[in-house]
């Protein structure tokens, strides 16, 4: 936790004692402006009607609004300006799910730092990020914004984002307040349909969904956003168990909670509030301090206090939390900028360098038959084909508020830069990812025929993921699969690059391709990053932060599952429908598809090969409260210098409740030259092995554990140790 001057609390108490009830309710109200701040809004600011704006005008608008708040309102309480700086402000980084594929907390922190620097220069104090929802359902459009399916990985990366946004001190230049969202359980929406019901037993809530939020609070996250979803019958924006018992009483969080957009009054359609007044009472009592967009707090709580129905202390506590963050941000003390840049500056060299490196590290090599990749820079001509080869807006992905398409370097532009336009034949083949017209196919085939290798850029437009954009099918949209078949007729090496906001199902395409790179939506510098990988300047190092199903029918499918009483045996492979063979065995499988995923959590190939040997566990047992180390030697047995993300997994063989077959407990990026070998060592403590038992108590239990060090969640060297009483 960061240290703050003690007098902040004194200043809060002093201010609170002078505020009217209306001014207090004003602080608890956030308005989305969506454009310039009107004269009416300026007048309302003078009267203390608003404590915060999101989506408010230009930098100059925000400076003027802040000047009014500080100089012309009765108490001079500053506004806090929020914005969805989800994966970059002007420089757009890969979508968070792509960033998670880098497994690189330090680089992710740097990217968040760049975003904070750019946003704060534009008068933004507060971002509604990181989004720390765990999800196991790629149908859910917001998986694009998550850091994947695993609580350990999402905790490490989410905490890094918080540190990047907030820096060493909230009031330092270039720092903005983080807002961890959507608290909590939003990613467990039934059917992967956004805003849908969630049922999460407390043990699962604590062991999986709450973990990344706890890590972010420990990293000092200044604010929390309550979610839309009905959590076990109690909407997350009116849930005293999560908002008070866990967040305040257990975690000692002392920042403030903002609702999601209208999520307070959405408790009316949820059916727990008869109207906005009741919704306001539920949210306030549960622990939502600031209401985003809807106005039930301002419109109903004054009367509720005056009638004695609600204790004024609840209002004072909420305002105290809000003022505390404003003081910590230095908003009361920061001078009003004399002048503001008329036009926001384009990305600078540092920003673009971080964006390119993070985009490159986020790309996952899923297939590379016969060493198709990397291509030689001396290759004669490449064909760049597909609806995502030159689509700046799609390349940036969802939740881009201030990024500009004109800043984006697409793959087409990048390959033309590197190889020269004459050596790059281009044909989109399809106008968009959803296009079903084959009118562009002949030109695509012709481009492929004239080339020495084909780079086929497929996937999803950015509009197909993100909020309220769930899909019931995960195939490549439109006629993209047909485009692959058409272009394959040219008989040239076929490299498929997929840009998408989620795992897709593309087994036929992967079978047809010689190589497959998964680039997510890679952001502003996606093109140069992909070109560097394809041409071997750098080897791919990304690892999947989420399981890729073979078909949507396998969902939910995730690596850290329980074993069941009849785990599928190796022979329980998918039995093609219509086969005369009788289904064999009574175990947990499908008749019509293999039970395994298309690509497992943690999976990713390289241009080199890595060999794991000599796993060592420092002791055969450790007492409760003890620790041991697990290490293995990792050698680069190929011909290319490259990074490997070495992963540590454990399995608790017997517990008082069933336990996952694997759990990630460590990872390390190591760079190895050809022939180089390095010992990679992890420390494990008994606390690392803790889980919530049937009584929802956090325990570590004695017994035997398996431990693996390896390249993904399905392979690696296995060791064993025992935890003793
Ligand atoms: C949206 C999203 C949330 C976002 C907020 C402000 O509905 O759920 O993630 O930060 O509203 O735009």
């Amino acid at each position: 936790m960061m240290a703050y001057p003690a007098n902040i609390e004194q200043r809060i108490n002093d201010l609170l004692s002078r505020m009217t009830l209306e001014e207090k309710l004003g602080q608890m109200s956030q308005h989305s402006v969506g454009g310039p701040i009107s004269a009416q809004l300026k007048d309302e600011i003078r009267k203390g009607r608003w404590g915060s704006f999101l989506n408010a005008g230009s930098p100059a608008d925000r400076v003027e609004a802040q000047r009014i708040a500080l100089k012309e309102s009765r108490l001079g309480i500053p506004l806090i300006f929020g914005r969805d700086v989800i994966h970059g402000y002007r420089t757009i980084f890969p979508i968070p799910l792509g960033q998670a594929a880098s497994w690189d907390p330090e680089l992710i922190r740097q990217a968040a730092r760049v975003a904070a620097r750019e946003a704060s220069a534009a008068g933004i104090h507060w971002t509604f990020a990181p989004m720390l929802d765990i999800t196991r359902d790629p149908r859910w459009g917001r998986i694009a914004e998550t850091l994947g399916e695993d609580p350990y990985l999402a905790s490490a990366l989410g905490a890094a984002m918080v540190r990047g946004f907030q820096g060493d001190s909230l009031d330092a230049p270039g720092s903005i307040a983080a807002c961890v969202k959507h608290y909590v359980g939003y990613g467990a929406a039934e059917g992967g349909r956004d805003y849908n019901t969630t049922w999460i037993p407390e043990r699962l809530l604590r062991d999986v969904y709450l973990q990344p939020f706890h890590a972010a609070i420990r990293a000092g996250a200044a604010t929390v956003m309550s979610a839309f979803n009905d959590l076990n019958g109690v909407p997350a924006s009116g849930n005293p168990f999560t908002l008070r018992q866990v967040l305040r009483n257990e975690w000692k969080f002392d920042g403030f909670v903002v609702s999601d957009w209208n999520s307070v009054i959405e408790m009316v359609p949820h059916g727990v509030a008869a109207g906005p007044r009741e919704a306001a009472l539920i949210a306030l009592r549960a622990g939502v301090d600031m209401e985003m967009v809807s106005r039930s707090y301002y419109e109903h709580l004054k009367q509720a206090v005056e009638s004695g129905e609600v204790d004024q202390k609840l209002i004072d506590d909420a305002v105290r939390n809000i003022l505390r963050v404003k003081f910590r941000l230095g908003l009361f003390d920061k001078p009003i900028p004399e002048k503001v840049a008329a036009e926001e500056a384009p990305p600078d060299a540092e920003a673009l360098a971080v964006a390119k490196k993070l985009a490159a590290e986020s790309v996952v090599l899923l297939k590379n038959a016969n060493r198709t990749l990397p291509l030689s820079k001396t290759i004669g001509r490449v064909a760049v084909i597909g609806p995502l080869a030159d689509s700046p807006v799609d390349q940036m992905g969802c939740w881009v508020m201030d990024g500009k398409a004109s800043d984006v370097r697409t793959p087409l532009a990048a390959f033309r830069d590197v190889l020269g336009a004459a050596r790059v034949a281009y044909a989109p083949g399809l106008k968009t990812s959803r296009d079903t017209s084959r009118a562009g196919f002949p030109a695509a085939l012709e481009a492929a025929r004239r080339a020495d290798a084909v780079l086929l850029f497929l996937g999803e437009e950015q509009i197909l993921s993100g909020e309220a954009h769930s899909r019931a099918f995960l195939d490549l949209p439109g006629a993209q699969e047909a485009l692959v078949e058409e272009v394959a007729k040219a008989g040239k090496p076929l490299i498929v690059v997929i840009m998408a906001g989620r795992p897709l199902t593309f087994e036929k395409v992967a079978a047809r391709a010689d190589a497959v790179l998964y680039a997510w939506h890679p952001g502003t510098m996606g093109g140069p990053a992909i070109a560097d990988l394809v041409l071997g300047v750098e080897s791919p190092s990304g690892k999947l932060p989420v399981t890729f199903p073979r078909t949507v029918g396998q969902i939910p499918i995730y690596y850290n599952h329980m074993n069941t009483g009849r785990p599928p045996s190796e022979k329980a492979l998918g039995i093609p429908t219509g086969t005369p063979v009788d289904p064999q065995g009574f175990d947990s499988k499908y008749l019509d598809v293999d039970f395994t995923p298309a690509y497992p959590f943690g999976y990713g190939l390289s241009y080199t090969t890595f060999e794991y040997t000599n796993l060592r566990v420092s002791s055969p047992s450790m007492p409760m409260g003890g620790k041991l180390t697990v290490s293995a030697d990792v050698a680069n047995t190929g011909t290319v210098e490259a990074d490997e993300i070495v992963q540590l997994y454990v399995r608790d063989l017997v517990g008082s409740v069933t336990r996952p077959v694997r759990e990630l407990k460590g990872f390390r990026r190591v760079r190895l030259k050809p022939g180089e070998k390095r010992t990679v060592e992890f420390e494990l403590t008994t606390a690392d092995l803790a889980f919530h038992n049937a009584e929802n108590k956090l325990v570590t239990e004695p017994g035997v554990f398996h431990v693996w060090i390896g390249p993904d969640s399905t392979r690696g060297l296995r060791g064993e140790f025992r935890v003793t009483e």
Side-chain angles (χ1 to χ4, degrees):
M1 287 294 199
M2 288 183 271
Y4 294 101
N7 68 354
I8 282 182
E9 297 307 313
Q10 293 159 4
R11 295 177 75 179
I12 291 170
N13 289 332
D14 163 60
L15 197 44
L16 208 59
S17 67
R18 292 184 283 133
M19 292 172 76
T20 64
L21 181 53
E22 286 85 349
E23 287 165 334
K24 291 174 182 176
L25 296 176
Q27 286 301 305
M28 297 165 69
S29 303
Q30 179 185 59
H31 183 52
S32 177
V33 186
I37 295 177
S38 65
Q40 179 194 332
L41 277 177
K42 289 177 182 176
D43 196 42
E44 291 175 353
I45 292 168
R46 286 186 190 91
K47 293 172 182 160
R49 170 70 180 82
W50 304 105
S52 174
F53 288 115
L54 78 148
N55 307 327
S58 67
D61 287 319
R62 293 188 280 268
V63 167
E64 173 58 7
Q66 193 69 299
R67 189 196 59 74
I68 292 170
L70 287 169
K71 306 297 183 191
E72 299 180 16
S73 72
R74 193 176 74 87
L75 292 171
I77 299 174
L79 299 163
I80 180 171
F81 289 103
R83 186 78 164 164
D84 289 289
V85 186
I86 307 302
H87 52 108
Y89 181 74
R90 176 67 185 264
T91 305
I92 301 301
F93 301 100
I95 54 172
L97 188 60
Q99 293 188 36
S102 75
W103 295 52
D104 191 336
E106 173 50 22
L107 191 55
I108 286 170
R109 185 198 65 78
Q110 291 174 27
R113 197 74 204 135
V114 167
R117 171 165 61 80
E118 293 181 348
S120 57
I124 301 296
H125 307 126
W126 177 31
T127 177
F128 304 125
M131 192 261 223
L132 298 179
D133 298 304
I134 295 290
T135 192
R136 297 163 162 177
D137 194 330
R139 294 171 295 181
W140 189 47
R142 302 200 77 166
I143 191 172
E145 306 167 53
T146 73
L147 293 170
E149 73 186 39
D150 179 73
Y152 183 92
L153 181 63
S155 296
L157 304 184
M161 278 188 179
V162 168
R163 289 193 298 272
F165 288 133
Q166 301 191 163
D168 296 331
S169 172
L170 273 180
D171 62 357
S175 292
I176 58 177
C179 181
V180 291
K181 71 185 186 183
H182 303 81
Y183 188 72
V184 64
Y186 183 30
E190 284 184 342
R193 186 154 50 85
D194 206 358
Y195 314 118
N196 206 3
T197 306
T198 65
W199 289 99
I200 310 174
E202 185 179 336
R203 285 200 307 110
L204 182 61
L205 194 68
R206 289 182 178 277
D207 282 348
V208 173
Y209 295 91
L210 284 168
Q211 287 292 328
F213 288 92
H214 196 185
I217 298 301
R218 290 196 303 269
T223 70
V224 172
M225 182 185 294
S226 65
F228 290 120
N229 54 293
D230 169 354
L231 173 60
N232 304 330
V234 182
S237 291
N239 193 310
F241 170 69
T242 54
L243 290 167
R244 289 207 187 279
Q245 168 56 30
V246 175
L247 187 61
R248 301 288 183 180
N249 300 344
E250 294 179 18
W251 297 353
K252 310 303 180 196
F253 173 64
D254 69 355
F256 74 81
V257 174
V258 63
S259 76
D260 202 340
W261 190 292
N262 281 345
S263 65
V264 168
I265 61 168
E266 285 176 10
M267 284 194 278
V268 177
H270 270 301
V272 294
R277 183 180 186 283
E278 290 75 13
L281 293 175
I282 291 168
L284 177 70
R285 287 169 176 149
V288 173
D289 300 311
M290 183 183 283
E291 181 178 17
M292 179 188 286
V293 176
S294 53
R295 304 180 174 200
S296 67
Y297 275 22
Y298 198 83
E299 292 174 355
H300 297 286
L301 291 181
K302 181 172 186 288
Q303 184 275 332
V305 169
E306 288 163 351
S307 68
E309 188 172 0
V310 86
D311 183 345
Q312 164 98 31
K313 181 180 181 308
L314 289 177
I315 307 277
D316 289 351
D317 287 350
V319 175
R320 204 184 294 280
N321 293 333
I322 293 165
L323 294 178
R324 185 173 299 116
V325 173
K326 290 187 173 183
F327 274 114
R328 287 176 174 171
L329 275 166
L331 298 185
F332 285 85
D333 308 310
K334 278 184 176 159
I336 297 285
E338 288 308 313
K339 64 179 177 54
V340 185
E343 176 56 31
E344 289 167 7
D348 62 23
E350 183 219 0
L352 293 174
V354 174
K356 180 181 174 183
K357 184 170 170 56
L358 187 48
E361 287 194 5
S362 71
V363 175
V364 183
L365 178 60
L366 297 178
K367 178 181 181 182
N368 194 20
N370 312 315
R371 296 174 180 271
T372 302
L373 287 175
L375 299 180
S376 161
K377 274 191 172 175
T378 60
I379 190 168
R381 173 196 294 264
V382 297
V384 170
I385 298 171
L388 287 140
D390 192 37
S391 183
V393 170
D394 293 325
Q395 183 172 317
M396 288 193 284
C398 61
W399 281 106
V400 172
M401 313 291 275
D402 303 282
K404 295 191 183 317
S406 55
D407 295 335
V408 173
R409 273 70 157 186
T410 65
L412 176 62
F415 282 99
R416 282 174 170 163
D417 280 351
V418 175
L419 299 176
R423 293 166 59 197
V424 177
Y426 170 60
L430 294 161
K431 288 192 175 68
T432 70
S433 72
R434 284 169 290 166
D435 187 1
T436 55
S437 160
R438 303 191 181 201
F441 281 24
L445 180 55
E446 178 53 27
R449 286 199 167 117
R450 289 168 43 222
D452 300 301
V454 178
L455 298 167
L456 191 46
F457 290 86
L458 307 171
E460 288 179 323
E461 293 150 86
Q462 60 85 20
I463 194 65
L464 297 178
S465 59
E467 183 173 354
H469 292 133
S470 296
R471 293 180 62 200
F473 300 94
L474 300 179
D475 305 326
L476 286 163
Q480 294 185 73
E481 289 193 11
L483 177 61
V484 174
E485 294 305 315
E486 183 70 11
V487 165
K489 291 174 186 170
K492 302 295 177 60
L494 181 59
I495 295 109
V496 167
V497 181
I498 294 178
M499 291 190 190
R502 57 162 57 85
L504 295 179
T505 49
F506 51 92
E507 280 199 313
K508 290 200 289 291
V509 169
R512 176 69 74 186
D514 297 296
V516 180
L517 288 164
Y518 216 83
W520 317 97
H521 286 126
T524 303
M525 290 298 280
I530 291 167
D532 274 4
L533 295 174
V534 166
L535 296 170
V537 173
E538 185 55 66
S539 167
S541 61
K543 299 280 188 178
L544 295 180
V546 63
T547 299
F548 274 52
R550 296 175 187 278
T551 173
V552 70
Q554 287 181 303
I555 293 169
I557 182 169
Y558 48 96
Y559 90 95
N560 47 351
H561 58 80
M562 304 306 179
N563 199 37
T564 78
R566 295 194 179 189
S569 60
E570 282 312 307
K571 72 175 187 309
L573 302 181
I575 303 166
T577 44
T579 174
V581 174
D582 288 342
Q584 302 302 313
F586 291 82
D587 50 29
S588 177
K589 65 174 179 295
Y590 298 100
L591 296 185
D592 44 10
V593 72
D594 195 319
F595 69 90
T596 58
Y599 305 101
F601 176 83
Y603 175 85
L605 300 176
S606 169
Y607 289 157
T608 193
T609 49
F610 295 101
E611 183 185 43
Y612 288 71
T613 55
N614 195 14
L615 182 111
R616 298 178 299 284
V617 183
S618 60
S619 165
S621 70
M622 64 174 151
M624 210 54 79
K627 63 183 177 184
L628 52 75
T629 62
V630 186
S631 63
D633 295 338
V634 184
N636 180 339
T637 50
T639 59
V640 175
E641 179 174 352
D643 286 4
E644 168 75 330
I645 297 166
V646 179
Q647 299 159 46
L648 174 78
Y649 294 88
V650 299
R651 179 180 184 180
D652 182 350
L653 295 185
V654 178
S656 58
V657 291
T658 56
R659 309 284 296 115
V661 295
R662 287 271 176 107
E663 291 181 284
L664 180 71
K665 293 295 180 186
F667 59 90
R668 187 91 35 78
R669 178 182 284 266
V670 292
R671 186 162 192 84
L672 296 174
K673 293 181 172 54
E676 184 181 0
K677 177 188 288 192
R678 181 134 6 123
T679 298
V680 181
E681 183 173 285
F682 297 94
E683 181 178 275
L684 270 177
T685 68
T686 53
D688 295 326
L689 307 173
F691 64 97
H692 288 82
N693 66 10
E695 290 71 46
N696 293 318
K697 294 287 170 281
L698 185 63
V699 297
T700 298
E701 296 176 341
V704 177
F705 288 75
H706 283 167
V707 59
W708 292 264
I709 292 182
D712 62 49
S713 61
T714 62
R715 293 177 294 149
L717 301 175
R718 192 183 86 182
E720 186 174 296
F721 62 87
R722 177 181 290 274
V723 171
T724 58
E725 291 291 355

